[in-house]
Amino acid sequence: MRQARARSFFFIRAMLYGFPGRSHPAQRGEPTEGGVHGGELNMLDREGKAWAIRRFAGSAEGSQAGRGERLTVTVSDRNGGGP
């Protein structure tokens, strides 16, 4: 149970603040059998707006992202409308 809690904490922290450096491999959560490193975190705020935070390792083609991460944040109301 403790290990699952720690992995959940590392995932939430990575989605909000970015992936830890390579000197912290246990906290990076990289896939061991290939696949895309990253994920999506969804939540509702007090006004009922849905937030989606998507962060993936590796910059988009031609991007000048400093840490080589792709980050997308979208906010919409519960009915699927825009901001």
Side-chain angles (χ1 to χ4, degrees):
M1 180 66 158
R2 181 177 288 182
Q3 205 171 26
R5 252 192 340 244
R7 290 195 56 76
S8 295
F9 171 76
F10 293 146
F11 175 76
I12 292 169
R13 188 171 65 184
M15 292 296 103
L16 296 175
Y17 302 109
F19 299 114
R22 295 211 181 268
S23 60
H24 299 89
Q27 296 178 11
R28 286 183 58 82
E30 293 186 66
T32 56
E33 297 180 19
V36 178
H37 182 202
E40 180 174 328
L41 180 63
N42 296 293
M43 60 199 121
L44 290 174
D45 66 17
R46 290 181 181 167
E47 288 80 36
K49 293 191 179 193
W51 290 71
I53 300 171
R54 295 175 193 90
R55 187 183 298 266
F56 295 95
S59 60
E61 185 114 5
S63 171
Q64 295 298 317
R67 291 173 36 138
E69 296 178 7
R70 294 173 297 179
L71 173 65
T72 306
V73 178
T74 54
V75 182
S76 61
D77 62 27
R78 286 179 149 193
N79 298 323

